[in-house]
Amino acid sequence: MALDVLPDWLPGWCLDHLGGEPRDVLFRVQQVSMVFGLRLAGGTDVVVKARADDGRAASCVAAQAWLAGRGFPCARPLTPVVAVGSLAVHAEELRPGGEVLRGDSPDVTACYAELFARLMAELADLTVAPPLPNPPWVRWDHSGSGAWPAIDSLDNRDQSVVPAHVVDTAERARRRILAAGLPCVLGHADFEAQNIRWHGREVWAVHDWDSLAWQPEAALAGAASGSFASSGAPVLAPIESSETFLLAYQAVRGRNFTGAEQEIAWAASVWMAAYNAREDALHGGISGSSDVLRGQAAERLRRASA
């Protein structure tokens, strides 16, 4: 990939903070963040990430650095977060390789649940400033009165295409989560198959540390129980797989959720699914996530007492 795909500020930033300018562009991805895989003039491969500076990045990168230092399988940050205009920028080592572990069979589900429990146990020993605001797909704690957090790129679209059952599901799940008043902890809020690489059943790398959140443990586990099988477009795991995930998670953590926590886990799983179904509908309904949600919402809401 040609160097001219890089923003003008990036070569100088690499020289100042990494000791060399880019020689080759290995990849470029832009979703929530801009992500550049680079080979520097000295031959070192790095990843540079830049995102709008909303105040979250410093805590996320600090947590990632702390985990990497304890031997957790994730890329090691090479710089702290640096402000570049309105962007928050940092670099980390390139950690290539591994495969996506696909599916939602009981053994695959247990692998993901055990990994999530390990991740949450590690983060429980860390103190950082809460990375707020939370990522929008787990921002049921937004300050508005409706189901959804304010996001211009979605709110400016025709809301009539969003099925009524999606909105109703989100509103009921949100009320249940907020009513519980559970304490918040630090956790990974985009725990999807596409963000994790494995060698067989051994985890090799967990990615997307930009997506740390400050929410109740049961809610984060519940969200992960619904999203873990997503290897492309977000999908909602079968109810049986979410149940297996939550049971395995609690076993590894060595603590059973209280009745309220169980309910909040199920409520979070369905709120996140409703958020994804709304976004899918606003972009043309390509994945059919609304239909999947329709088939599961009643049972997940029942388990949430919502």
Side-chain angles (χ1 to χ4, degrees), residues 6-267:
L6 301 179
D8 292 342
W9 57 265
L10 187 50
W13 189 94
C14 290
L15 181 61
D16 291 343
H17 296 279
L18 299 170
E21 293 191 352
R23 187 181 75 194
D24 296 301
V25 181
L26 306 177
F27 60 83
R28 179 181 185 274
V29 179
Q30 182 162 357
Q31 292 180 332
V32 177
S33 302
M34 293 185 292
V35 182
F36 303 95
L38 305 174
R39 180 160 294 145
L40 302 181
T44 302
D45 292 342
V46 301
V47 175
V48 177
K49 296 185 175 181
R51 81 288 289 160
D53 189 358
D54 57 4
R56 294 173 34 82
S59 292
C60 292
V61 172
Q64 181 181 350
W66 188 81
L67 286 169
R70 288 166 65 100
F72 190 85
C74 62
R76 179 175 60 90
L78 301 173
T79 72
V81 175
V82 179
V84 178
S86 63
L87 297 175
V89 183
H90 85 280
E92 61 189 46
E93 65 183 1
L94 178 64
R95 192 176 173 93
E99 303 291 336
V100 175
L101 179 59
R102 301 178 189 277
D104 52 33
S105 64
D107 65 313
V108 169
T109 300
C111 285
Y112 280 107
E114 290 161 10
L115 173 60
F116 194 70
R118 175 186 171 191
L119 185 161
M120 293 295 289
E122 294 278 3
L123 288 175
D125 294 331
L126 173 65
T127 300
V128 295
L132 297 171
N134 283 307
W137 52 90
V138 292
R139 199 184 299 165
W140 46 72
D141 57 344
H142 64 86
S143 59
S145 58
W148 318 111
I151 305 169
D152 288 345
S153 62
L154 298 180
D155 298 342
N156 292 336
R157 293 174 176 264
D158 178 9
Q159 302 301 305
S160 69
V161 302
V162 181
H165 77 88
V166 172
V167 180
D168 177 67
T169 295
E171 289 175 341
R172 291 168 62 184
R174 181 180 186 233
R175 284 197 299 270
R176 182 65 192 95
I177 297 170
L178 297 182
L182 297 177
C184 292
V185 301
L186 186 66
H188 199 297
D190 204 15
F191 193 75
E192 298 184 344
Q194 62 186 336
N195 292 327
I196 303 165
R197 296 295 182 270
W198 304 77
H199 288 149
R201 291 297 191 266
E202 292 292 321
V203 64
W204 167 244
V206 178
H207 298 293
D208 196 15
W209 294 98
D210 293 1
S211 295
L212 289 179
W214 186 249
Q215 291 288 15
E217 179 184 1
L220 291 167
S225 79
S227 68
F228 75 89
S230 300
S231 57
V235 298
L236 179 59
I239 290 173
E240 296 77 9
S241 297
S242 291
E243 183 174 39
T244 297
F245 185 106
L246 291 170
L247 289 172
Y249 175 86
Q250 292 167 81
V252 174
R253 292 289 276 138
R255 180 182 75 84
N256 290 332
F257 286 159
T258 65
E261 287 176 312
Q262 296 279 0
E263 292 175 359
I264 269 41
W266 287 104

